[in-house]
Amino acid sequence: MYNAETDHQVVPIGADLMHLLDNQDGAVIAAAARTSKGRWQVSADGADTVTVNDRTAAVTALTETALAVLGGTGYSTMVPHGLTAQP
């Protein structure tokens, strides 16, 4: 059995919201919300809001936004299997 630990994780909350969470304290670092037009808006304190066309791009934007607001050189992020395949 493997015990993998990551710095962050992407958590889907229903069909239209995802959070990128800090695994140490559960704090929300960034959020992605689907708009009424089907696009995704990714936001975080200290960063400009980014709008993308699909869930896969939203997951990428979540991780890039976390890097931008947290600084540093990199973080590990767990993304649930199959999440980017969801509409």
Side-chain angles (χ1 to χ4, degrees), residues 13-35:
I13 302 168
D16 300 320
L17 181 63
M18 296 183 289
H19 284 165
L20 188 140
L21 302 176
D22 183 305
N23 278 342
Q24 280 193 319
D25 61 12
V28 176
I29 298 168
R34 191 179 347 225
T35 69

Side-chain angles (χ1 to χ4, degrees), residues 4-13 17-21 23 32 40 54-64 66 75-86:
E5 293 185 20
T6 62
D7 298 308
H8 306 132
Q9 64 181 311
V10 175
V11 176
I13 302 168
L17 181 63
M18 296 183 289
H19 284 165
L20 188 140
L21 302 176
N23 278 342
W40 289 86
D54 56 47
R55 186 183 295 271
T56 299
V59 169
T60 299
L62 279 169
T63 59
E64 290 173 351
Y75 300 92
S76 58
T77 302
M78 181 176 65
V79 178
H81 177 73
L83 179 62
T84 57
Q86 300 299 312

Side-chain angles (χ1 to χ4, degrees), residues 19-53:
H19 284 165
L20 188 140
L21 302 176
D22 183 305
N23 278 342
Q24 280 193 319
D25 61 12
V28 176
I29 298 168
R34 191 179 347 225
T35 69
S36 61
K37 295 182 181 180
R39 299 186 76 198
W40 289 86
Q41 289 190 328
V42 178
S43 59
D45 289 341
D48 292 334
T49 298
V50 176
T51 302
V52 296
N53 291 325

